[in-house]
């Protein structure tokens, strides 16, 4: 009875951990969207800045509490758009301080030369106008316009004569403190957010390629070039054989080839993967096959020749895996990816009646990151890549990251979003700017007023590869009314890569 209770307790703990991991994964992908990250940072760092300033004000009683309203507004301006001209720490400090000085100057002039009656707070109306005017006149030519500086100018009119110097010092010290906090956040977190949040930047470098179809060689090279962008990258070429051929396969494998015997999810573990030695290269299409070899032996030699070519051309380590298939190729592929510690599956494109085959559909429903490559030529290098996106998302970040890996330093990546005839061009351009900002490389952005299908039909030929999302977030009704973009690009002769993030 006690053992049964312990088993149930352990099972409940495992389920709880799975829920926690799933929620953490969902939160991480939500935070990948720059707009969400910025607003989350505002909720954390702006209150933190106020806490620091309040602590300082309590420690030094002479610091004026009148500085809090403009300081809070200025802090919001800093964090709400970290790349705008108003998010300059120097502008922030100088603007607030100059506003305070101009306000005090206007107060002195109004008290000495202006006789207009004050309001209910005893503030001279002409003095208030003069404070705002002086602030604008000073900050404009110095190019340090700061919205909150007008607040400090008006608040200066309420300062007691014996606290005016303290008020200016308070504004300066508090704004410096907030500016330092902003600089630390922007340089150490915001500008490095791709490293912390975007999983593809540190992962998706162990690539499994199911060698299926006539374009498997080109797809394998695409996977290898994605993996080669990271030092720890590796490629695993997968071939699947029926259970009846498993025994023969074991006798056909060379010392560089691995066999995985995959029967079920609870089956025995496979032996650890061994890295192939770098071969002399060669073209798999022209590789000779000894006439006395069986078809299975020839298939293994074909895989190993592909592996040799990948290692020679890309420098990334390559393994060959032959797995026994129990009748479900997709299941075998996913289990092999888990067994060989691969976090990305790059598969050749397959279609049936104008749609993806059940094999690819099963892969897209899995937890693995997937890239499906439709080859239109013998191309094995992709230096000009176009990435059409609908919005900033985890899949969009993956596509841009993969595009930069393929293009390299000498290539070019274009990121586009189609807005139709009535779309907001400025908002679309800002969205694309947010999307590409964390990445290095040569980028161009395009915002055409046309449909995605028309745009790609007209421009895809200018590029080596079109990288698009799998649109898995759309409902079945939406897919029925308007099929996914990749299913409407049959006439496009450029290579296409369909990208999707796994759902943990």
């Amino acid at each position: 009875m006690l053992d049964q209770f312990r088993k149930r307790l352990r099972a409940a703990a495992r389920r709880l951990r799975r829920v926690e991991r799933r929620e953490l994964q969902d939160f991480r992908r939500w935070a990948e969207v720059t707009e969400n990250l910025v607003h989350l940072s505002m909720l954390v760092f702006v209150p933190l800045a106020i806490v620091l300033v309040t602590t300082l004000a309590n420690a030094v009683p002479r610091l004026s509490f009148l500085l809090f309203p403009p300081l809070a507004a200025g802090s919001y301006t800093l964090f709400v758009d970290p790349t705008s001209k108003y998010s300059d720490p120097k502008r922030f400090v100088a603007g607030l301080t100059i506003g305070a000085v101009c306000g005090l100057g206007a107060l002195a002039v109004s008290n000495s030369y202006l006789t207009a009656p004050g309001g209910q707070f005893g503030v001279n109306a002409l003095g208030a106008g003069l404070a705002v005017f002086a602030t604008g006149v000073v900050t404009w030519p110095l190019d340090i316009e700061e919205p909150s500086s007008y607040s400090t100018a008006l608040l200066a009119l309420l300062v007691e004569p014996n606290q005016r110097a303290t008020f200016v010092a308070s504004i300066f010290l508090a704004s410096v403190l907030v500016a330092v906090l902003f600089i630390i956040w922007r340089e150490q977190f915001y500008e490095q957010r791709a490293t912390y949040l975007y999983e593809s930047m540190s992962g998706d470098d162990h690539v499994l390629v199911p060698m299926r179809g006539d374009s498997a060689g080109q797809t394998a090279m695409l996977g290898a070039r994605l993996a080669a962008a990271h030092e720890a990258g590796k490629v695993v070429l997968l071939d699947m054989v029926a259970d009846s051929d498993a025994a023969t396969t074991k006798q056909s494998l060379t010392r560089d080839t691995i066999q995985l015997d995959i029967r079920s999810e609870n089956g025995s573990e496979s032996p650890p993967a061994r890295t192939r030695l770098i071969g002399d290269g060669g073209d798999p299409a022209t590789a000779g096959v000894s006439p006395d070899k069986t078809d299975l032996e020839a298939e293994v030699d074909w895989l190993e020749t592909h592996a040799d070519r990948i290692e020679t051309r890309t420098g990334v380590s390559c393994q060959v895996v032959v797995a026994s298939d129990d009748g479900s190729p997709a299941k075998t592929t996913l289990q092999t990816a888990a067994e060989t510690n691969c976090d990305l599956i790059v598969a050749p494109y397959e279609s049936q009646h104008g749609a993806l085959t059940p094999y690819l559909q099963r892969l897209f429903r899995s937890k693995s990151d997937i890239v499906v490559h439709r080859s239109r030529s013998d191309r094995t290098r992709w230096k000009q890549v176009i990435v059409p996106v609908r919005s900033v998302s985890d899949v969009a970040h993956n596509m841009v990251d993969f595009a930069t890996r393929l293009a390299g330093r000498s290539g070019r990546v274009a990121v586009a979003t189609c807005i139709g005839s009535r779309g907001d061009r400025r908002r679309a351009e800002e969205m694309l700017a947010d999307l590409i900002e964390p990445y290095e490389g040569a980028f161009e952005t395009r915002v055409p007023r046309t449909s995605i299908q028309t745009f790609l039909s007209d421009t895809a030929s200018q590029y080596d590869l079109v990288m698009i999302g799998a649109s898995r977030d759309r409902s079945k009704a939406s897919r029925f009314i308007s099929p996914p973009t990749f299913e409407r690009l049959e006439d496009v002769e450029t290579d296409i890569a369909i990208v999707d993030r796994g759902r943990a």
Side-chain angles (χ1 to χ4, degrees):
M1 190 70 177
L2 184 59
D3 291 340
Q4 218 171 22
F5 174 76
R6 289 176 178 173
K7 289 180 181 179
R8 291 180 180 177
L9 189 60
R10 284 194 293 267
R14 285 195 298 269
R15 285 194 296 270
L16 181 61
R17 285 194 295 269
R18 284 197 297 269
V19 171
E20 290 176 349
R21 286 195 297 268
R22 183 169 60 249
E23 290 179 346
L24 181 61
Q25 185 83 347
D26 290 343
F27 172 78
R28 184 171 183 170
R29 292 182 176 179
W30 176 84
E32 281 191 27
V33 179
T34 303
E35 183 179 355
N36 295 336
L37 178 65
V38 168
H39 280 83
L40 181 63
S41 298
M42 285 164 42
L43 292 177
V44 175
F45 287 94
V46 173
L48 177 61
I50 299 302
V51 168
L52 293 176
V53 173
T54 304
T55 303
L56 179 62
N58 290 335
V60 184
R62 290 182 60 83
L63 294 183
S64 175
F65 281 92
L66 290 175
L67 61 91
F68 285 99
L71 193 67
S75 300
Y76 174 85
T77 303
L78 278 179
F79 284 93
V80 73
D81 189 358
T83 59
S84 73
K85 71 174 185 178
Y86 294 114
S87 293
D88 182 353
K90 294 180 181 178
R91 181 191 301 270
F92 172 71
V93 175
L96 290 180
T97 306
I98 288 177
V101 173
C102 289
L104 293 178
L107 179 62
V109 171
S110 64
N111 289 340
S112 301
Y113 303 103
L114 302 178
T115 57
Q120 60 178 332
F121 297 107
V123 177
N124 188 301
L126 293 179
L130 181 61
V132 173
F133 175 77
T135 302
V137 168
V138 174
T139 57
W140 181 16
L142 294 178
D143 194 28
I144 53 173
E145 291 178 291
E146 166 65 36
S148 297
S149 61
Y150 295 97
S151 299
T152 58
L154 291 175
L155 287 175
L157 303 177
L158 303 176
V159 178
E160 297 293 333
N162 61 344
Q163 292 185 342
R164 291 171 183 173
T166 302
F167 176 72
V168 175
S170 301
I171 289 289
F172 176 77
L173 292 176
S175 59
V176 167
L177 185 61
V178 173
V180 169
L181 180 63
F182 172 74
I183 292 173
I184 294 174
W185 170 80
R186 187 174 64 179
E187 294 184 356
Q188 300 301 321
F189 181 73
Y190 179 78
E191 294 180 353
Q192 306 296 326
R193 63 190 183 279
T195 303
Y196 299 134
L197 296 177
Y198 303 170
E199 295 179 348
S200 64
M201 296 291 286
S202 58
D204 286 338
D205 52 3
H206 292 182
V207 181
L208 177 73
V209 182
M211 301 297 285
R212 297 163 56 94
D214 296 335
S215 63
Q218 290 78 20
T219 300
M221 190 59 68
L222 178 74
R225 297 202 183 280
L226 290 175
H230 292 176
E231 294 183 0
K234 75 171 183 179
V235 178
V236 177
L237 305 183
L238 169 66
D239 187 30
M240 289 172 277
V241 298
D243 284 337
S244 59
D245 295 332
T248 308
T249 305
K250 289 182 180 179
Q251 298 176 359
S252 304
L253 301 180
T254 69
R255 64 185 177 87
D256 293 323
T257 310
I258 311 156
Q259 177 173 11
L260 296 181
D261 186 16
I262 300 177
R263 296 186 177 85
S264 67
E265 295 183 0
N266 297 322
S268 58
E269 295 185 358
S270 63
R274 292 174 292 177
T275 303
R276 289 175 48 85
L277 300 176
I278 295 180
D280 296 329
D283 188 351
T286 60
V289 178
S290 176
D292 59 343
K293 287 189 176 182
T294 66
D295 291 342
L296 192 54
E297 290 172 331
E299 180 74 11
V300 172
D301 282 349
W302 177 77
L303 289 172
E304 292 180 342
T305 306
H306 272 295
D308 287 337
R309 182 176 68 151
I310 287 173
E311 290 183 330
T312 302
R313 293 190 179 182
T314 67
V316 66
S317 65
C318 189
Q319 301 166 353
V320 170
V321 171
V322 179
S324 57
D325 179 19
D326 61 356
S328 176
K331 177 182 176 183
T332 302
T333 300
L334 295 171
Q335 287 184 282
T336 304
E339 295 283 352
T340 56
N341 194 32
C342 290
D343 50 10
L344 175 65
I345 298 175
V346 179
Y349 182 82
E350 302 174 8
S351 63
Q352 186 177 29
H353 306 301
L356 295 178
T357 60
Y359 169 75
L360 292 181
Q361 292 179 14
R362 171 72 184 276
L363 293 185
F364 276 129
R365 291 195 298 268
S366 70
K367 300 178 181 178
S368 299
D369 289 356
I370 306 293
V371 173
V372 172
H373 172 230
R374 192 190 74 182
S375 176
R376 290 300 199 192
S377 63
D378 294 331
R379 184 181 299 279
T380 57
R381 291 189 69 88
W382 299 266
K383 304 296 289 183
Q384 311 291 326
V385 185
I386 184 167
V387 183
V389 299
R390 288 185 300 162
S391 61
V392 177
S393 65
D394 56 334
V395 176
H397 286 134
N398 257 55
M399 292 193 294
V400 175
D401 177 43
F402 290 161
T404 57
R405 294 193 202 182
L406 294 172
R409 295 184 178 180
S410 60
R412 175 173 60 99
V413 176
V415 184
T417 185
C418 297
I419 59 175
S421 59
R422 299 182 179 180
D424 188 338
R425 177 177 294 274
R426 176 174 294 182
R427 185 168 184 175
E429 290 174 347
E430 291 175 351
M431 182 268 289
L432 294 181
D434 285 341
L435 178 62
I436 65 176
E437 182 190 5
Y439 301 92
E440 297 181 357
F443 287 96
E444 66 170 315
T445 58
R446 306 186 65 169
V447 186
R449 290 191 179 276
T450 183
S451 66
I452 181 65
Q453 186 175 356
T454 302
F455 172 69
L456 292 179
S457 297
D458 294 340
T459 62
S461 59
Q462 304 171 17
Y463 300 90
D464 302 331
L465 180 70
V466 178
M467 190 164 288
I468 58 179
S471 302
R472 269 181 51 180
D473 56 340
R474 293 174 56 191
S475 65
K476 291 183 179 180
S478 174
R479 288 172 173 269
F480 177 78
I481 296 173
S482 177
T485 302
F486 62 83
E487 293 183 2
R488 291 178 277 146
L489 300 178
E490 289 296 327
D491 297 333
V492 174
E493 294 301 320
T494 306
D495 285 11
I496 292 179
I498 308 166
V499 180
D500 190 54
R501 290 283 295 271
R503 296 298 185 262

